[in-house]
Amino acid sequence: MNLKKKNYMKMKRVVDLILGLVALIMLSPVLLVLCMAIKIDSRGPILFRQKRVGIHVTYFEIYKFRTMKIDTPKDMPTHMLSNPEQYITRVGKFLRKYSLDELPQLLNIIKGDMSFVGPRPALWNQEDLIQEREKYHANDVYPGLTGWAQINGRDELEIPVKARLDGDYVENMGLAFDIKCILGTFGSVAKADGVVEGGTGRKKDSNED
């Protein structure tokens, strides 16, 4: 990674910290309502914690609103579950559709585990995705709350395509590209684009048959 990108990552960390704190304060009423809804809807904790892959293939604990029942198999991607719908709670279905379950990751951003924009953090055992990202140096940046792959297919993407898009982000990383990803995220979330429960890899590369 060249010096220009390294300097941008340092600046980005300061911006992430400030915006993360502001967003957490401004969204606190919404977060409180969601916490209450989760607690009323089903048994279990409000937050879901899981081991994920961070920058340079280090590990951290990601925070999400719990959207699944407490008897759901742990450390398994949703697409690998048999009939995942049976595990998702009523409130969880709404949260997942509009990506509201990701809001607690503001804490990860403030802590320095994540950035607002970057490759989505892989599960610790998703070795195929981690290895593919290595080809594009996508493991050398902070994982993000949203990213280029998120607004270009999300759950529908095959792993090689997702990794290549993450590589595109690393290649083009900068303020303008980050803003483009953030603006694209609002549109994707509003339309619930690319949300595929129980399936991934349904959207192939546009260059493939």
Side-chain angles (χ1 to χ4, degrees), residues 117-171:
V117 183
R120 282 297 295 162
L123 275 166
W124 65 272
N125 56 1
Q126 284 184 294
E127 295 180 2
D128 48 356
L129 177 57
I130 297 167
Q131 290 173 3
E132 279 294 315
R133 282 176 169 172
E134 197 67 33
K135 299 176 183 178
Y136 304 101
H137 306 288
N139 294 321
D140 297 332
V141 298
Y142 285 100
L145 182 64
T146 188
W148 187 234
Q150 284 295 100
I151 63 174
N152 283 282
R154 198 172 172 178
D155 298 335
E156 296 179 326
L157 295 172
E158 292 182 331
I159 283 175
V161 181
K162 183 181 292 186
R164 183 174 57 77
L165 287 169
D166 290 332
D168 289 344
Y169 171 73
V170 176
E171 182 68 26

Side-chain angles (χ1 to χ4, degrees), residues 86-100:
Q86 68 178 311
Y87 297 108
I88 300 173
T89 64
R90 289 172 298 177
V91 170
K93 189 171 184 179
F94 173 78
L95 294 176
R96 293 165 76 92
K97 182 177 181 180
Y98 296 105
S99 298
L100 296 173

